[in-house]
Amino acid sequence: MNWLAHARLDYETVARRLRARDCYDWHQRAWEAFPGRPKGHPRPFLFRLRERDRECEFLLLCREEPTRPDWAADADWEVKTVGEGFLSYRRYRFDLLANPTSRDDARDRWDGRERLRGKHRRFNVATVEQQRDWIVRKAGQHGFRLLEDSEESPLLDIGPRRDFRFTRHDKSHGLHVGVCYRGGLEVTDSAVFCNAFKQGIGSAKSFGFGLLLLVPVA
């Protein structure tokens, strides 16, 4: 079973009580819905922050039942179970804030640098064409395909790139690049698709990326 928690927050609460300035702060706030977990406990959630004109929405998809954190008022906190039936539809509208990245061996070894401890570095994809190729590729890997206006043109809206700068607990700085994808999809492999919904898509899932928001299409 999975749970979807939803909190509505006004911006004064975010700024003064939560002091949530960036995606690392929100990562820490998300953990507060799972008190008592020991250090090293696997992250049991994906989250997404959606900004509105007068308030923001905090969405938390969990593999463990969450507890209302102190920063969320009881009236503004809602938890629903996500049954397996929700993932049994063939088609959905989707909304995904992703951190699209790819490998680049030429840049990875630029100026004689070797890969860090044998690992591949990943780089943000820059152009809209590359961003489109990324979501098409991920769809194939995660058990769905994008619905299309025609064979050559996917029915897909790609938002502008947005930079998410953050400061870690050790005061070092980082950057994730977010791209919002909206469109329609058709499930091609139910088991793989269900796993993608529960585990997330792409990188930086600890920092508010990768949660696949779905609306079934009858």
Side-chain angles (χ1 to χ4, degrees), residues 14 22 33 44 52 80 84 90 103 109 119-120 146 151 166 176 184 189 191-192 194 196 199 214:
V14 170
D22 55 37
R52 305 300 190 189
K80 296 180 179 180
E84 292 302 321
R90 181 185 177 193
R103 295 176 181 174
R109 294 177 177 272
K119 296 181 180 179
H120 292 275
L146 301 178
E151 291 297 324
F166 60 94
H176 291 309
D189 187 317
V192 175
C194 288
Q199 300 295 328
L214 299 173

Side-chain angles (χ1 to χ4, degrees), residues 30-169:
W31 267 111
E32 292 174 12
F34 305 92
R37 270 61 170 185
K39 186 177 182 180
H41 185 79
R43 174 178 48 79
F45 61 82
L46 298 166
F47 77 89
R48 168 86 178 270
L49 185 71
R50 295 202 293 187
E51 298 173 353
R52 305 300 190 189
D53 290 338
R54 298 183 180 180
E55 64 180 16
C56 62
E57 296 177 309
F58 180 79
L59 301 166
L60 192 67
L61 180 67
C62 325
R63 297 184 297 278
E64 300 174 15
E65 187 171 5
T67 300
R68 181 177 63 82
D70 292 340
W71 49 261
D74 185 60
D76 295 329
W77 174 262
E78 182 181 12
V79 179
K80 296 180 179 180
T81 57
V82 182
E84 292 302 321
F86 177 75
L87 297 174
S88 64
Y89 291 83
R90 181 185 177 193
R91 292 185 173 187
Y92 297 85
R93 299 292 299 176
F94 75 90
D95 183 327
L96 171 69
L97 178 65
N99 172 233
T101 61
S102 64
R103 295 176 181 174
D104 187 329
D105 285 342
R107 291 178 66 186
D108 213 8
R109 294 177 177 272
W110 177 78
D111 199 24
R113 293 187 309 182
E114 294 298 322
R115 295 189 181 96
L116 182 63
R117 294 189 296 276
K119 296 181 180 179
H120 292 275
R121 294 180 181 88
R122 303 194 71 85
F123 301 90
N124 296 312
V125 297
T127 68
V128 173
E129 182 179 0
Q130 291 171 332
Q131 293 164 359
R132 184 182 297 274
D133 289 344
W134 183 89
I135 190 62
V136 171
R137 185 171 66 253
K138 288 299 179 181
Q141 294 170 355
H142 291 297
F144 65 94
R145 70 176 185 88
L146 301 178
L147 296 180
E148 301 176 345
D149 285 331
S150 67
E151 291 297 324
E152 295 80 20
S153 178
L155 180 64
L156 179 68
D157 177 65
I158 301 176
R161 162 185 168 146
R162 182 179 173 188
D163 291 349
F164 291 81
R165 302 184 186 277
F166 60 94
T167 303
R168 303 179 182 90
H169 66 88

Side-chain angles (χ1 to χ4, degrees), residues 172-197:
S172 61
H173 299 287
L175 168 68
H176 291 309
V177 173
V179 176
C180 188
Y181 297 92
R182 295 186 179 94
L185 65 82
E186 182 176 76
V187 178
T188 57
D189 187 317
S190 180
V192 175
F193 177 73
C194 288
N195 187 65
F197 173 76

